[in-house]
Amino acid sequence: MSREERVLSDTDNENTNEEIETGIDSPDESSSGLFTAGRSLQSNVIEDHNPDYISADAELAAEIPDDTEVIDLVHLKVLALEDLNLLRFKNLKKLYLRQNLIESIAELEVLPLENMEEIDFYDNRIKHISKSVNLFSNLKTLDLSFNKIRTIKNVDKLVNLENLYFVQNKISKIENLGTLTKLKNLELGGNRIKEIGPDDLKGLANLEEIWLGKNSIPKLINLQHLKNLRILSIQSNKLKKFEGLEELENLEELYVSHNFISKIEGLENNLKLTTLDVTGNRLTKIENLKHLTHLTDLWASDNQIDQPFESLGEELGKLPEFETIYLEGNPIQTKNPTQYRRKIMLNLGESLQKIDATYVRA
């Protein structure tokens, strides 16, 4: 089968015409504070100042021993998997083909299906998830970030998958994930998701981290299936309030920066919370946190917080593990430029170590 035929067969009869690009609707398009487990949702095109000759695809893999367990061909303008002659690598466990020009991944079926643990196609030109992906029943990690994928499909048989990355694609719906019962980390930041449906996350009881930054989600709902969730990142969406967190009793880190939230509330059952990021919202007061005895970090810069320092101390001053607070860009800081740090120190507990990225004691 030719490369052109394989690309077409990989679409599963879907329309391959590109839609006109649209900007992602979020409250702060310029925000760089998008937490995706070390992955930035923003990318820059870097000019190649060394346009040296790059070998043909077939030559790139020619010198790799047949018994290798890892293939790492990054940023080499690989166009087609067929030319890499992947069939000969019978012991392969990990395949990294980041930052290439690959459009079709149907050829993956020639790999040793039982052996494969990691497949990484970060930053290519993939539009559709080939049916061949579903053949890797022992796969632990699949990264298809920074591609052109519109639909989550052909991953439902990856029952041993633990990490699934779809950052910066064109996905509009969370779907076909219910069978991935061992999944621990799901990254969907920088897509076109507008809601979390009632059954979208059903079956993901072992999920520990979900990253949904820079979508267009208006409500925190339908999260009750995620009983073991530790990290929830839903920055730069359209949230207006805290809600739907009652059953996330294992939640440790909550990132909701750059939304439209006006009040801290609804965290009564999240007693394991250590980090709360509410940067860039519409808060006027720090409140309803004094019961969170494990809280170490509160990031609340660039809101409208304007309350007495004594009130702030009543809320946070007795938290035994509290270490870091960010309040810069709020009236409480801008109106008190000379006394701000001293009053924060006086009213918060002895455990405080850092105010606005500066340590309390050198």
Side-chain angles (χ1 to χ4, degrees):
M1 182 182 292
S2 69
R3 175 171 175 267
E4 290 75 17
E5 291 171 333
R6 188 173 295 278
V7 171
L8 291 175
S9 67
D10 201 17
T11 65
D12 293 337
N13 298 319
E14 291 189 1
N15 186 358
T16 61
N17 293 330
E18 281 297 303
E19 295 181 2
I20 298 174
E21 291 289 341
T22 58
I24 298 173
D25 190 3
S26 67
D28 186 359
E29 287 288 333
S30 63
S31 170
S32 61
L34 296 170
F35 288 82
T36 56
R39 287 171 166 75
S40 171
L41 298 187
Q42 298 183 1
S43 61
N44 296 316
V45 177
I46 301 175
E47 183 179 354
D48 187 357
H49 295 290
N50 300 289
D52 297 332
Y53 171 76
I54 294 180
S55 302
D57 292 357
E59 296 176 8
L60 292 173
E63 297 182 2
I64 300 176
D66 289 356
D67 61 350
T68 191
E69 294 185 355
V70 180
I71 291 178
D72 191 350
L73 298 173
V74 176
H75 199 50
L76 292 170
K77 300 182 180 179
V78 176
L79 284 168
L81 297 182
E82 295 93 323
D83 294 336
L84 298 178
N85 192 19
L86 297 174
L87 180 62
R88 67 185 178 91
F89 301 110
K90 304 299 184 184
N91 297 322
L92 194 67
K93 294 182 179 180
K94 300 179 181 181
L95 176 64
Y96 303 107
L97 288 167
R98 289 186 157 215
Q99 296 177 304
N100 285 292
L101 306 174
I102 297 166
E103 296 183 13
S104 170
I105 52 177
E107 183 70 13
L108 285 176
E109 61 191 13
V110 304
L111 293 174
L113 303 179
E114 300 297 322
N115 286 5
M116 294 301 298
E117 298 175 0
E118 295 185 29
I119 295 177
D120 190 334
F121 284 99
Y122 178 102
D123 195 6
N124 276 274
R125 298 179 176 180
I126 300 164
K127 297 179 182 178
H128 307 282
I129 304 174
S130 168
K131 291 180 179 179
S132 63
V133 172
N134 242 342
L135 300 174
F136 297 93
S137 58
N138 291 321
L139 199 67
K140 298 291 183 62
T141 298
L142 175 62
D143 193 340
L144 293 169
S145 298
F146 288 86
N147 279 282
K148 300 179 179 181
I149 296 166
R150 298 180 184 276
T151 306
I152 300 174
K153 62 179 181 179
N154 295 326
V155 296
D156 55 291
K157 292 183 173 60
L158 305 182
V159 293
N160 288 301
L161 202 65
E162 296 180 0
N163 303 291
L164 180 57
Y165 305 114
F166 283 122
V167 180
Q168 202 71 42
N169 276 277
K170 300 179 179 182
I171 295 167
S172 58
K173 180 175 174 55
I174 304 172
E175 58 187 335
N176 300 320
L177 299 177
T179 56
L180 307 184
T181 57
K182 294 184 179 180
L183 197 65
K184 295 181 179 180
N185 183 15
L186 175 61
E187 297 202 13
L188 286 162
N191 279 281
R192 300 174 177 178
I193 300 167
K194 295 184 178 181
E195 65 175 355
I196 302 174
D199 297 323
D200 290 357
L201 302 173
K202 190 175 182 179
L204 304 183
N206 289 312
L207 197 69
E208 296 180 1
E209 305 178 20
I210 187 167
W211 306 83
L212 294 163
K214 209 168 187 182
N215 280 283
S216 297
I217 300 169
K219 289 187 176 183
L220 269 174
I221 55 174
N222 299 318
L223 301 174
Q224 67 275 8
H225 307 293
L226 309 181
K227 302 297 184 182
N228 288 302
L229 195 68
R230 295 188 305 103
I231 300 176
L232 170 58
S233 176
I234 189 164
Q235 305 180 14
S236 293
N237 276 269
K238 295 183 176 181
L239 304 181
K240 294 182 179 179
K241 61 183 297 186
F242 285 97
E243 58 187 331
L245 302 173
E246 298 82 8
E247 297 188 46
L248 305 186
E249 296 182 356
N250 290 304
L251 194 65
E252 297 175 10
E253 301 176 26
L254 176 58
Y255 303 101
V256 292
S257 68
H258 300 101
N259 279 282
F260 304 96
I261 298 170
S262 58
K263 184 177 182 179
I264 298 175
E265 59 186 339
L267 301 175
E268 288 78 14
N269 296 340
N270 310 113
L271 300 179
K272 295 183 180 180
L273 204 63
T274 64
T275 300
L276 177 60
D277 179 10
V278 290
T279 304
N281 277 279
R282 297 177 176 177
L283 301 175
T284 59
K285 184 179 182 181
I286 300 299
E287 58 188 329
N288 300 320
L289 296 178
K290 62 178 65 176
H291 65 290
L292 300 177
T293 56
H294 294 290
L295 192 68
T296 64
D297 287 64
L298 175 60
W299 307 342
S301 299
D302 300 323
N303 278 275
Q304 300 166 24
I305 297 167
D306 190 8
Q307 67 191 102
F309 291 97
E310 293 77 12
S311 171
L312 190 66
E314 290 173 4
E315 195 64 39
L316 304 174
K318 294 182 181 180
L319 297 181
E321 300 177 27
F322 193 73
E323 297 178 352
T324 301
I325 188 166
Y326 284 80
L327 286 171
E328 58 189 344
N330 285 282
I332 194 174
Q333 181 256 328
T334 57
K335 290 180 179 180
N336 303 278
T338 58
Q339 299 180 337
Y340 164 70
R341 283 182 59 83
R342 182 177 64 84
K343 288 194 173 184
I344 290 286
M345 292 170 60
L346 286 173
N347 285 278
L348 269 62
E350 294 182 359
S351 61
L352 185 67
Q353 297 182 16
K354 190 186 297 184
I355 302 172
D356 298 339
T358 302
Y359 283 97
V360 171
R361 299 172 183 84

